[in-house]
């Protein structure tokens, strides 16, 4: 005990000259942590001469304007860094990256239009992050991933119009999120936030005052009260239109495979195709015709057109896919037919919408996506995935 007191006394004695910048006052707390108190000092820069052992640094209410990569280099042991109420307009990437012990970071009430988000990657101990009352207009996708200790995140009073789906996923400790007073655009792109908030009760503080600024008809409405009917995730159903018989009329060079994707949702989904066949790998989109009405055709269907055909229905709310494996008769297992020529009623309306004369050119709304067989891709429809587990599992279609 005496020994411990001695050490504390020595530290207190040494701190003014050893590692305490002139404008600050330093003290050792009971738990042995070293505090450097530099708030309300009219400082324009982070003072030099900090002890490498400082764990708490208060620099609130100064006139700091810009943080450079080396601003905090002297204090790698920081656990708490208070920088609120300054004039900070920029923080260079790397400013915080080396603060591996950091638990609390307060940058609220500054002028940040951007933040070095990549610095957060190594800050696995971070518990409190306050970026409120700044000028942030975006949070990059995945910026917060890996902050497994993060409890409190303040992003209120910024310029955020939207947030990427999944921004607050993989934050198992998150207990308080503040987003109010941002000019949110409550298009369906942001609809996930409502679902997330409902699924994480009490995390979004001031949910009732987290309001939409756009579109006009939702202005002033809480983001958690956007009517669900406006934003409906897509459904997709695959049917085939022409089999061997109809195809024979074609050009005498083999049958035409004609698949139709019926999609529904709000806003009406865009239809894309993903084709995994040897022909797609070789010839790319030249091999296929995709029409704005959701139909796609492969003329002169041959052995190397065998493979997986996937239709993806995509809107701002989500993506749904339906796949079918197509094989020539005799080359694979027995036939189990697809639903034939019977697009579902709901889907029809949206297919019809897609048929409207379109100034931007027919087919332009369709994107054909090819994936070389064997290329790994996450999600349903990956090579080797059994049809039975696809969302809308369909049988095997045999031609000829
Ligand atoms: C920092 O702490 C270490 C170990 O606790 C100690 O040996 C060292 O003297 C301290 N340095 C300063 C500048 O206080
Ligand atoms: C809101 O988002 C939608 C969809 O992303 C976009 O079309 C629209 O222009 C945005 N509105 C405003 C006011 O930014
Ligand atoms: C879609 O358009 C193509 C080309 O115009 C046509 O061949 C096909 O039958 C149409 N599909 C449906 C379901 O109407």
């Amino acid at each position: 005990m005496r020994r411990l007191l001695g050490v504390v006394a020595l530290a207190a004695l040494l701190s003014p000259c050893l590692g305490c910048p002139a404008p600050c006052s330093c003290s050792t707390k009971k738990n042995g942590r070293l505090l450097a108190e530099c708030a309300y000092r009219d400082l324009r820069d982070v003072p030099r001469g900090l002890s490498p052992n400082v764990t708490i640094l208060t620099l609130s209410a100064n006139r700091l304007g810009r943080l450079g990569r080396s601003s905090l280099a002297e204090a790698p042991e920081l656990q708490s860094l208070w920088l609120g109420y300054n004039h900070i307009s920029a923080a260079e990437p790397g400013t915080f990256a080396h603060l591996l012990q950091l638990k609390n970071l307060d940058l609220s009430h500054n002028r940040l239009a951007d933040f070095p988000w990549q610095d957060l990657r190594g800050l696995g101990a971070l518990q409190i992050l306050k970026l409120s009352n700044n000028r942030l207009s975006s949070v990059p996708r995945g910026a917060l991933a890996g902050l497994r200790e993060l409890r409190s995140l303040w992003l209120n009073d910024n310029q955020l119009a939207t947030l990427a789906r999944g921004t607050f996923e993989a934050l198992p400790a998150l207990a308080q999120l503040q987003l109010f007073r941002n000019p949110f655009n409550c298009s369906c792109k942001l609809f996930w936030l409502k679902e997330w908030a409902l699924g994480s009760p009490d995390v979004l503080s001031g949910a009732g005052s987290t309001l939409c600024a756009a579109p006009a008809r939702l202005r002033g409405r809480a983001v958690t009260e956007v009517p669900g009917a406006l934003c409906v995730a897509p459904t997709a159903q695959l049917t085939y239109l022409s089999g061997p018989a109809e195809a024979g009329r074609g050009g005498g060079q083999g049958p035409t495979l004609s698949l139709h994707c019926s999609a529904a949702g709000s806003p009406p989904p865009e239809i894309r195709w993903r084709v995994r066949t040897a022909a797609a790998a070789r010839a790319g989109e030249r091999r296929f015709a995709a029409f704005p009405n959701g139909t796609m055709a492969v003329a002169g269907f041959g052995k190397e057109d065998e493979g997986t055909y996937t239709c993806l229905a995509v809107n701002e709310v989500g993506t749904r896919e339906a796949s079918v494996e197509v094989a020539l008769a005799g080359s694979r297992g027995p036939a189990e037919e697809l639903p034939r020529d019977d697009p579902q009623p709901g889907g029809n309306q949206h297919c019809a919408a897609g048929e409207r004369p379109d100034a931007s050119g027919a087919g332009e709304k369709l994107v054909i996506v090819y994936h070389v067989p064997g290329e790994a891709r996450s999600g349903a429809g990956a090579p080797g995935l059994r049809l039975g587990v696809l969302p809308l599992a369909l049988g095997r279609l045999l031609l000829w």
Side-chain angles (χ1 to χ4, degrees):
M1 191 61 193
R2 259 172 93 177
R3 206 183 130 93
L4 182 67
L5 279 176
V7 172
V8 172
L10 184 66
L13 194 70
L14 288 179
S15 57
C17 45
L18 215 179
C20 195
C24 309
S25 61
C26 301
S27 55
T28 306
K29 308 256 269 185
K30 275 209 196 89
N31 54 15
R33 296 209 198 129
L34 184 56
L35 163 71
E37 167 66 75
C38 321
Y40 298 96
R41 301 291 203 281
D42 271 339
L43 298 175
R44 288 170 183 273
D45 292 296
V46 177
R48 296 281 126 192
L50 287 164
S51 159
N53 290 351
V54 67
T55 48
I56 307 168
L57 175 58
T58 67
L59 280 161
S60 317
N62 281 292
R63 301 169 70 185
L64 305 181
R66 201 176 168 283
L67 299 175
R69 182 186 288 274
S70 59
S71 297
L72 300 159
E74 289 183 338
E77 301 296 322
L78 277 182
Q79 294 178 11
S80 295
L81 176 56
W82 307 109
L83 289 162
Y85 292 94
N86 276 283
H87 303 173
I88 302 169
S89 57
E92 204 179 344
T95 303
F96 309 105
H98 64 289
L99 304 178
L100 302 182
Q101 313 298 322
L102 203 60
K103 291 183 179 159
N104 307 308
L105 176 57
D106 179 5
L107 277 157
S108 61
H109 295 272
N110 277 289
R111 298 171 184 173
L112 290 168
D114 199 5
F115 177 79
W117 299 100
Q118 62 274 34
D119 284 15
L120 295 179
R121 268 181 225 145
L123 305 191
L126 200 61
Q127 297 176 0
I128 296 176
L129 177 59
K130 295 185 183 176
L131 289 165
S132 44
N133 296 86
N134 275 286
R135 297 169 185 175
L136 299 173
S137 58
S138 69
V139 178
R141 193 179 293 274
L144 306 168
L147 298 180
R148 301 198 62 81
E149 306 290 324
L150 193 68
R151 280 191 281 115
S152 201
L153 175 61
W154 292 11
L155 287 166
N156 53 285
D157 295 274
N158 275 288
Q159 295 298 321
L160 300 170
T162 195
L163 288 164
R165 177 193 293 273
T167 298
F168 309 120
E169 263 157 37
L171 300 176
L174 192 63
Q176 190 197 25
L177 172 64
Q178 294 187 179
L179 291 174
F180 46 82
R181 288 195 293 268
N182 276 288
F184 284 118
N185 177 350
C186 293
S187 77
C188 291
K189 264 189 196 155
L190 194 64
F191 190 69
W192 68 268
L193 183 58
K194 170 182 174 173
E195 295 180 323
W196 180 87
L198 296 179
S200 319
D202 303 324
V203 176
L204 186 62
S205 6
S209 50
T210 303
L211 306 179
C212 306
R217 68 199 153 108
L218 293 175
R219 189 173 299 140
R221 189 90 73 115
V223 296
T224 49
E225 284 159 19
V226 172
L230 294 178
C231 302
V232 181
T235 58
Q237 191 186 12
L238 259 183
T239 53
Y240 77 97
L241 296 180
S242 58
E246 299 91 321
R249 297 187 304 234
Q253 21 139 250
T256 294
L257 168 70
S258 197
L259 296 174
H260 185 76
C261 183
S262 304
S266 177
E270 181 187 329
I271 293 171
R272 304 174 186 177
W273 292 92
R274 185 170 66 217
V275 179
R276 289 196 177 99
T277 64
R282 194 171 45 72
E285 29 186 293
R286 278 175 291 132
R287 189 74 195 87
F288 310 93
F291 302 106
N293 62 3
T295 295
M296 79 99 79
V298 185
F301 190 92
K303 184 90 178 108
E304 62 171 15
D305 293 309
E306 287 189 333
T308 308
Y309 292 74
T310 304
C311 128
L312 297 97
V314 183
N315 70 10
E316 290 172 342
V317 190
T319 298
R320 187 71 182 264
E321 57 180 67
S323 287
V324 62
E325 207 166 304
V326 184
L328 280 166
S331 59
R332 303 234 189 143
E336 276 175 64
E337 292 215 329
L338 269 173
R340 192 187 158 101
D341 230 355
D342 184 24
Q344 67 183 37
N348 247 345
Q349 296 162 7
H350 295 290
C351 286
E355 279 168 347
R356 274 191 310 240
D358 182 356
S360 66
E364 295 232 321
K365 289 221 171 100
L366 297 177
V367 180
I368 303 182
V369 185
Y370 295 96
H371 283 260
V372 180
E375 183 186 340
R377 225 197 103 124
S378 62
L385 200 69
R386 298 254 297 279
L387 271 177
V389 301
L390 288 166
L392 282 164
L394 296 162
R396 179 171 287 175
L397 164 65
L398 279 101
L399 294 172
W400 221 279

